[in-house]
PDB file of all heavy atoms in Angstrom:
ATOM      1  N   LYS Q 426     143.781 103.207 121.551  1.00  0.00           N
ATOM      2  CA  LYS Q 426     144.355 104.536 121.360  1.00  0.00           C
ATOM      3  C   LYS Q 426     144.376 105.047 119.936  1.00  0.00           C
ATOM      4  O   LYS Q 426     145.107 105.917 119.532  1.00  0.00           O
ATOM      5  CB  LYS Q 426     145.684 104.634 121.928  1.00  0.00           C
ATOM      6  CG  LYS Q 426     145.795 104.048 123.296  1.00  0.00           C
ATOM      7  CD  LYS Q 426     145.038 104.853 124.397  1.00  0.00           C
ATOM      8  CE  LYS Q 426     145.399 104.292 125.784  1.00  0.00           C
ATOM      9  NZ  LYS Q 426     144.282 103.732 126.483  1.00  0.00           N
ATOM     10  N   GLU Q 427     143.542 104.486 119.035  1.00  0.00           N
ATOM     11  CA  GLU Q 427     143.408 104.956 117.679  1.00  0.00           C
ATOM     12  C   GLU Q 427     142.217 105.992 117.526  1.00  0.00           C
ATOM     13  O   GLU Q 427     141.174 105.671 116.949  1.00  0.00           O
ATOM     14  CB  GLU Q 427     143.192 103.714 116.645  1.00  0.00           C
ATOM     15  CG  GLU Q 427     144.327 102.739 116.749  1.00  0.00           C
ATOM     16  CD  GLU Q 427     145.484 103.055 115.812  1.00  0.00           C
ATOM     17  OE1 GLU Q 427     145.334 104.122 115.111  1.00  0.00           O
ATOM     18  OE2 GLU Q 427     146.440 102.506 115.990  1.00  0.00           O
ATOM     19  N   VAL Q 428     142.523 107.067 118.091  1.00  0.00           N
ATOM     20  CA  VAL Q 428     141.330 108.077 118.288  1.00  0.00           C
ATOM     21  C   VAL Q 428     140.951 108.555 116.904  1.00  0.00           C
ATOM     22  O   VAL Q 428     139.624 108.714 116.720  1.00  0.00           O
ATOM     23  CB  VAL Q 428     141.844 109.305 119.153  1.00  0.00           C
ATOM     24  CG1 VAL Q 428     140.725 110.342 119.241  1.00  0.00           C
ATOM     25  CG2 VAL Q 428     142.157 108.722 120.561  1.00  0.00           C
ATOM     26  N   GLU Q 429     141.728 108.871 116.010  1.00  0.00           N
ATOM     27  CA  GLU Q 429     141.194 109.375 114.642  1.00  0.00           C
ATOM     28  C   GLU Q 429     140.505 108.322 113.874  1.00  0.00           C
ATOM     29  O   GLU Q 429     139.473 108.681 113.375  1.00  0.00           O
ATOM     30  CB  GLU Q 429     142.532 109.889 113.908  1.00  0.00           C
ATOM     31  CG  GLU Q 429     143.128 111.241 114.429  1.00  0.00           C
ATOM     32  CD  GLU Q 429     142.081 112.330 114.442  1.00  0.00           C
ATOM     33  OE1 GLU Q 429     141.362 112.561 113.538  1.00  0.00           O
ATOM     34  OE2 GLU Q 429     142.171 113.030 115.504  1.00  0.00           O
ATOM     35  N   LYS Q 430     141.021 107.092 113.958  1.00  0.00           N
ATOM     36  CA  LYS Q 430     140.267 106.028 113.281  1.00  0.00           C
ATOM     37  C   LYS Q 430     138.927 105.792 113.896  1.00  0.00           C
ATOM     38  O   LYS Q 430     137.908 105.602 113.139  1.00  0.00           O
ATOM     39  CB  LYS Q 430     141.051 104.786 113.241  1.00  0.00           C
ATOM     40  CG  LYS Q 430     142.304 104.925 112.376  1.00  0.00           C
ATOM     41  CD  LYS Q 430     143.025 103.397 112.300  1.00  0.00           C
ATOM     42  CE  LYS Q 430     144.235 103.495 111.582  1.00  0.00           C
ATOM     43  NZ  LYS Q 430     144.920 102.241 111.657  1.00  0.00           N
ATOM     44  N   ALA Q 431     138.918 105.833 115.275  1.00  0.00           N
ATOM     45  CA  ALA Q 431     137.684 105.631 115.906  1.00  0.00           C
ATOM     46  C   ALA Q 431     136.610 106.686 115.559  1.00  0.00           C
ATOM     47  O   ALA Q 431     135.407 106.414 115.237  1.00  0.00           O
ATOM     48  CB  ALA Q 431     137.873 105.576 117.476  1.00  0.00           C
ATOM     49  N   LEU Q 432     137.223 107.958 115.477  1.00  0.00           N
ATOM     50  CA  LEU Q 432     136.149 108.984 115.136  1.00  0.00           C
ATOM     51  C   LEU Q 432     135.730 108.829 113.683  1.00  0.00           C
ATOM     52  O   LEU Q 432     134.404 109.027 113.581  1.00  0.00           O
ATOM     53  CB  LEU Q 432     136.961 110.234 115.197  1.00  0.00           C
ATOM     54  CG  LEU Q 432     136.409 111.599 114.846  1.00  0.00           C
ATOM     55  CD1 LEU Q 432     135.270 111.885 115.951  1.00  0.00           C
ATOM     56  CD2 LEU Q 432     137.390 112.745 114.919  1.00  0.00           C
ATOM     57  N   GLU Q 433     136.444 108.321 112.845  1.00  0.00           N
ATOM     58  CA  GLU Q 433     135.932 108.052 111.475  1.00  0.00           C
ATOM     59  C   GLU Q 433     134.808 106.945 111.472  1.00  0.00           C
ATOM     60  O   GLU Q 433     133.786 107.146 110.789  1.00  0.00           O
ATOM     61  CB  GLU Q 433     137.057 107.488 110.602  1.00  0.00           C
ATOM     62  CG  GLU Q 433     138.185 108.565 110.151  1.00  0.00           C
ATOM     63  CD  GLU Q 433     139.273 108.002 109.395  1.00  0.00           C
ATOM     64  OE1 GLU Q 433     138.978 106.889 108.702  1.00  0.00           O
ATOM     65  OE2 GLU Q 433     140.407 108.345 109.527  1.00  0.00           O
ATOM     66  N   PHE Q 434     135.083 105.991 112.248  1.00  0.00           N
ATOM     67  CA  PHE Q 434     133.955 104.996 112.252  1.00  0.00           C
ATOM     68  C   PHE Q 434     132.654 105.502 113.029  1.00  0.00           C
ATOM     69  O   PHE Q 434     131.616 105.156 112.451  1.00  0.00           O
ATOM     70  CB  PHE Q 434     134.509 103.669 113.071  1.00  0.00           C
ATOM     71  CG  PHE Q 434     135.221 102.800 111.954  1.00  0.00           C
ATOM     72  CD1 PHE Q 434     136.654 102.999 111.749  1.00  0.00           C
ATOM     73  CD2 PHE Q 434     134.607 101.848 111.174  1.00  0.00           C
ATOM     74  CE1 PHE Q 434     137.200 102.196 110.826  1.00  0.00           C
ATOM     75  CE2 PHE Q 434     135.204 101.060 110.305  1.00  0.00           C
ATOM     76  CZ  PHE Q 434     136.649 101.236 110.087  1.00  0.00           C
ATOM     77  N   TYR Q 435     132.775 106.184 113.962  1.00  0.00           N
ATOM     78  CA  TYR Q 435     131.628 106.686 114.638  1.00  0.00           C
ATOM     79  C   TYR Q 435     130.866 107.501 113.615  1.00  0.00           C
ATOM     80  O   TYR Q 435     129.635 107.519 113.504  1.00  0.00           O
ATOM     81  CB  TYR Q 435     131.928 107.537 115.872  1.00  0.00           C
ATOM     82  CG  TYR Q 435     132.451 106.802 117.048  1.00  0.00           C
ATOM     83  CD1 TYR Q 435     133.442 107.328 117.856  1.00  0.00           C
ATOM     84  CD2 TYR Q 435     131.897 105.560 117.391  1.00  0.00           C
ATOM     85  CE1 TYR Q 435     133.904 106.530 119.003  1.00  0.00           C
ATOM     86  CE2 TYR Q 435     132.328 104.845 118.486  1.00  0.00           C
ATOM     87  CZ  TYR Q 435     133.426 105.376 119.347  1.00  0.00           C
ATOM     88  OH  TYR Q 435     133.827 104.701 120.443  1.00  0.00           O
ATOM     89  N   LYS Q 436     131.571 108.455 112.991  1.00  0.00           N
ATOM     90  CA  LYS Q 436     130.959 109.359 111.985  1.00  0.00           C
ATOM     91  C   LYS Q 436     130.264 108.566 110.829  1.00  0.00           C
ATOM     92  O   LYS Q 436     129.212 109.002 110.306  1.00  0.00           O
ATOM     93  CB  LYS Q 436     131.865 110.427 111.539  1.00  0.00           C
ATOM     94  CG  LYS Q 436     132.128 111.371 112.664  1.00  0.00           C
ATOM     95  CD  LYS Q 436     132.856 112.625 112.278  1.00  0.00           C
ATOM     96  CE  LYS Q 436     133.069 113.652 113.369  1.00  0.00           C
ATOM     97  NZ  LYS Q 436     133.654 114.851 113.034  1.00  0.00           N
ATOM     98  N   LYS Q 437     130.784 107.442 110.335  1.00  0.00           N
ATOM     99  CA  LYS Q 437     130.381 106.682 109.344  1.00  0.00           C
ATOM    100  C   LYS Q 437     129.142 106.046 109.914  1.00  0.00           C
ATOM    101  O   LYS Q 437     127.947 105.935 109.166  1.00  0.00           O
ATOM    102  CB  LYS Q 437     131.349 105.577 108.899  1.00  0.00           C
ATOM    103  CG  LYS Q 437     132.398 106.089 108.046  1.00  0.00           C
ATOM    104  CD  LYS Q 437     133.235 104.834 107.567  1.00  0.00           C
ATOM    105  CE  LYS Q 437     134.574 105.321 106.854  1.00  0.00           C
ATOM    106  NZ  LYS Q 437     135.393 104.259 106.600  1.00  0.00           N
ATOM    107  N   GLY Q 438     129.057 105.563 111.149  1.00  0.00           N
ATOM    108  CA  GLY Q 438     127.869 105.065 111.698  1.00  0.00           C
ATOM    109  C   GLY Q 438     126.734 105.933 111.832  1.00  0.00           C
ATOM    110  O   GLY Q 438     125.526 105.770 111.563  1.00  0.00           O
ATOM    111  N   ILE Q 439     127.015 107.266 112.024  1.00  0.00           N
ATOM    112  CA  ILE Q 439     125.964 108.283 112.147  1.00  0.00           C
ATOM    113  C   ILE Q 439     125.368 108.506 110.736  1.00  0.00           C
ATOM    114  O   ILE Q 439     124.172 108.760 110.615  1.00  0.00           O
ATOM    115  CB  ILE Q 439     126.531 109.638 112.687  1.00  0.00           C
ATOM    116  CG1 ILE Q 439     126.738 109.453 114.258  1.00  0.00           C
ATOM    117  CG2 ILE Q 439     125.608 110.831 112.431  1.00  0.00           C
ATOM    118  CD1 ILE Q 439     127.603 110.631 114.859  1.00  0.00           C
ATOM    119  N   THR Q 440     126.205 108.513 109.759  1.00  0.00           N
ATOM    120  CA  THR Q 440     125.598 108.702 108.411  1.00  0.00           C
ATOM    121  C   THR Q 440     124.640 107.483 108.034  1.00  0.00           C
ATOM    122  O   THR Q 440     123.718 107.799 107.264  1.00  0.00           O
ATOM    123  CB  THR Q 440     126.747 108.735 107.296  1.00  0.00           C
ATOM    124  OG1 THR Q 440     127.389 107.539 107.220  1.00  0.00           O
ATOM    125  CG2 THR Q 440     127.713 109.968 107.575  1.00  0.00           C
ATOM    126  N   ILE Q 441     124.838 106.304 108.588  1.00  0.00           N
ATOM    127  CA  ILE Q 441     123.931 105.191 108.346  1.00  0.00           C
ATOM    128  C   ILE Q 441     122.703 105.335 109.155  1.00  0.00           C
ATOM    129  O   ILE Q 441     121.577 105.130 108.661  1.00  0.00           O
ATOM    130  CB  ILE Q 441     124.766 103.881 108.576  1.00  0.00           C
ATOM    131  CG1 ILE Q 441     125.814 103.678 107.635  1.00  0.00           C
ATOM    132  CG2 ILE Q 441     123.747 102.713 108.562  1.00  0.00           C
ATOM    133  CD1 ILE Q 441     126.848 102.652 107.917  1.00  0.00           C
ATOM    134  N   ASP Q 442     122.841 105.724 110.450  1.00  0.00           N
ATOM    135  CA  ASP Q 442     121.758 105.897 111.369  1.00  0.00           C
ATOM    136  C   ASP Q 442     121.968 107.101 112.243  1.00  0.00           C
ATOM    137  O   ASP Q 442     122.531 106.953 113.296  1.00  0.00           O
ATOM    138  CB  ASP Q 442     121.494 104.610 112.253  1.00  0.00           C
ATOM    139  CG  ASP Q 442     120.382 104.600 113.123  1.00  0.00           C
ATOM    140  OD1 ASP Q 442     119.631 105.652 113.027  1.00  0.00           O
ATOM    141  OD2 ASP Q 442     120.137 103.567 113.769  1.00  0.00           O
ATOM    142  N   PRO Q 443     121.344 108.174 111.788  1.00  0.00           N
ATOM    143  CA  PRO Q 443     121.630 109.369 112.537  1.00  0.00           C
ATOM    144  C   PRO Q 443     120.877 109.476 113.926  1.00  0.00           C
ATOM    145  O   PRO Q 443     121.009 110.357 114.700  1.00  0.00           O
ATOM    146  CB  PRO Q 443     121.053 110.571 111.679  1.00  0.00           C
ATOM    147  CG  PRO Q 443     120.363 109.831 110.626  1.00  0.00           C
ATOM    148  CD  PRO Q 443     120.715 108.434 110.469  1.00  0.00           C
ATOM    149  N   ASP Q 444     120.136 108.415 114.223  1.00  0.00           N
ATOM    150  CA  ASP Q 444     119.306 108.441 115.404  1.00  0.00           C
ATOM    151  C   ASP Q 444     119.970 107.228 116.343  1.00  0.00           C
ATOM    152  O   ASP Q 444     119.184 106.758 117.357  1.00  0.00           O
ATOM    153  CB  ASP Q 444     117.832 107.953 115.150  1.00  0.00           C
ATOM    154  CG  ASP Q 444     117.196 109.199 114.543  1.00  0.00           C
ATOM    155  OD1 ASP Q 444     117.557 110.392 114.788  1.00  0.00           O
ATOM    156  OD2 ASP Q 444     116.330 109.009 113.642  1.00  0.00           O
ATOM    157  N   PHE Q 445     121.246 106.831 116.260  1.00  0.00           N
ATOM    158  CA  PHE Q 445     121.871 105.913 117.140  1.00  0.00           C
ATOM    159  C   PHE Q 445     122.449 106.597 118.197  1.00  0.00           C
ATOM    160  O   PHE Q 445     123.543 107.001 118.045  1.00  0.00           O
ATOM    161  CB  PHE Q 445     122.839 105.113 116.262  1.00  0.00           C
ATOM    162  CG  PHE Q 445     123.315 103.800 116.846  1.00  0.00           C
ATOM    163  CD1 PHE Q 445     123.934 102.949 116.102  1.00  0.00           C
ATOM    164  CD2 PHE Q 445     123.267 103.535 118.202  1.00  0.00           C
ATOM    165  CE1 PHE Q 445     124.497 101.625 116.559  1.00  0.00           C
ATOM    166  CE2 PHE Q 445     123.606 102.462 118.795  1.00  0.00           C
ATOM    167  CZ  PHE Q 445     124.318 101.481 117.929  1.00  0.00           C
ATOM    168  N   ALA Q 446     121.766 106.679 119.311  1.00  0.00           N
ATOM    169  CA  ALA Q 446     122.060 107.429 120.466  1.00  0.00           C
ATOM    170  C   ALA Q 446     123.496 107.108 121.082  1.00  0.00           C
ATOM    171  O   ALA Q 446     124.304 107.887 121.476  1.00  0.00           O
ATOM    172  CB  ALA Q 446     121.090 107.294 121.650  1.00  0.00           C
ATOM    173  N   GLU Q 447     123.832 105.695 121.027  1.00  0.00           N
ATOM    174  CA  GLU Q 447     125.096 105.361 121.716  1.00  0.00           C
ATOM    175  C   GLU Q 447     126.261 105.856 120.901  1.00  0.00           C
ATOM    176  O   GLU Q 447     127.397 106.162 121.513  1.00  0.00           O
ATOM    177  CB  GLU Q 447     125.159 103.781 121.704  1.00  0.00           C
ATOM    178  CG  GLU Q 447     124.245 103.159 122.670  1.00  0.00           C
ATOM    179  CD  GLU Q 447     122.749 103.013 122.183  1.00  0.00           C
ATOM    180  OE1 GLU Q 447     122.518 103.306 120.933  1.00  0.00           O
ATOM    181  OE2 GLU Q 447     121.949 102.773 123.037  1.00  0.00           O
ATOM    182  N   ILE Q 448     126.206 106.070 119.604  1.00  0.00           N
ATOM    183  CA  ILE Q 448     127.259 106.592 118.850  1.00  0.00           C
ATOM    184  C   ILE Q 448     127.628 107.988 119.364  1.00  0.00           C
ATOM    185  O   ILE Q 448     128.829 108.476 119.576  1.00  0.00           O
ATOM    186  CB  ILE Q 448     127.028 106.697 117.366  1.00  0.00           C
ATOM    187  CG1 ILE Q 448     127.189 105.133 116.845  1.00  0.00           C
ATOM    188  CG2 ILE Q 448     128.213 107.399 116.680  1.00  0.00           C
ATOM    189  CD1 ILE Q 448     126.927 104.932 115.345  1.00  0.00           C
ATOM    190  N   TYR Q 449     126.530 108.822 119.567  1.00  0.00           N
ATOM    191  CA  TYR Q 449     126.747 110.211 119.989  1.00  0.00           C
ATOM    192  C   TYR Q 449     127.414 110.188 121.358  1.00  0.00           C
ATOM    193  O   TYR Q 449     128.275 111.009 121.769  1.00  0.00           O
ATOM    194  CB  TYR Q 449     125.432 110.940 120.002  1.00  0.00           C
ATOM    195  CG  TYR Q 449     124.937 111.266 118.667  1.00  0.00           C
ATOM    196  CD1 TYR Q 449     123.836 110.427 118.110  1.00  0.00           C
ATOM    197  CD2 TYR Q 449     125.475 112.208 117.771  1.00  0.00           C
ATOM    198  CE1 TYR Q 449     123.379 110.753 116.739  1.00  0.00           C
ATOM    199  CE2 TYR Q 449     125.046 112.457 116.486  1.00  0.00           C
ATOM    200  CZ  TYR Q 449     123.962 111.671 116.016  1.00  0.00           C
ATOM    201  OH  TYR Q 449     123.481 111.932 114.729  1.00  0.00           O
ATOM    202  N   ASN Q 450     126.899 109.317 122.280  1.00  0.00           N
ATOM    203  CA  ASN Q 450     127.480 109.257 123.678  1.00  0.00           C
ATOM    204  C   ASN Q 450     129.033 108.881 123.508  1.00  0.00           C
ATOM    205  O   ASN Q 450     129.837 109.489 124.120  1.00  0.00           O
ATOM    206  CB  ASN Q 450     126.811 108.061 124.461  1.00  0.00           C
ATOM    207  CG  ASN Q 450     127.508 107.984 125.790  1.00  0.00           C
ATOM    208  OD1 ASN Q 450     127.506 108.847 126.675  1.00  0.00           O
ATOM    209  ND2 ASN Q 450     127.957 106.715 126.129  1.00  0.00           N
ATOM    210  N   ASN Q 451     129.329 107.989 122.662  1.00  0.00           N
ATOM    211  CA  ASN Q 451     130.692 107.580 122.480  1.00  0.00           C
ATOM    212  C   ASN Q 451     131.523 108.727 121.856  1.00  0.00           C
ATOM    213  O   ASN Q 451     132.698 108.776 122.216  1.00  0.00           O
ATOM    214  CB  ASN Q 451     130.888 106.229 121.641  1.00  0.00           C
ATOM    215  CG  ASN Q 451     130.371 105.092 122.419  1.00  0.00           C
ATOM    216  OD1 ASN Q 451     130.325 105.043 123.709  1.00  0.00           O
ATOM    217  ND2 ASN Q 451     129.909 103.952 121.773  1.00  0.00           N
ATOM    218  N   LEU Q 452     131.034 109.447 120.895  1.00  0.00           N
ATOM    219  CA  LEU Q 452     131.672 110.583 120.449  1.00  0.00           C
ATOM    220  C   LEU Q 452     131.878 111.675 121.603  1.00  0.00           C
ATOM    221  O   LEU Q 452     132.934 112.269 121.645  1.00  0.00           O
ATOM    222  CB  LEU Q 452     130.818 111.270 119.348  1.00  0.00           C
ATOM    223  CG  LEU Q 452     131.110 110.699 117.889  1.00  0.00           C
ATOM    224  CD1 LEU Q 452     129.908 111.010 117.073  1.00  0.00           C
ATOM    225  CD2 LEU Q 452     132.411 110.953 117.375  1.00  0.00           C
ATOM    226  N   GLY Q 453     130.985 111.781 122.436  1.00  0.00           N
ATOM    227  CA  GLY Q 453     131.219 112.726 123.516  1.00  0.00           C
ATOM    228  C   GLY Q 453     132.315 112.238 124.446  1.00  0.00           C
ATOM    229  O   GLY Q 453     133.128 113.139 124.815  1.00  0.00           O
TER     230      GLY Q 453
END
Side-chain angles (χ1 to χ4, degrees):
K426 311 290 188 249
E427 297 280 352
V428 174
E429 290 301 318
K430 288 182 183 177
L432 184 60
E433 287 176 34
F434 275 91
Y435 289 143
K436 290 190 174 185
K437 284 180 188 176
I439 286 173
T440 63
I441 293 167
D442 183 358
D444 293 325
F445 194 162
E447 288 80 11
I448 291 180
Y449 292 103
N450 178 61
N451 290 336
L452 277 165

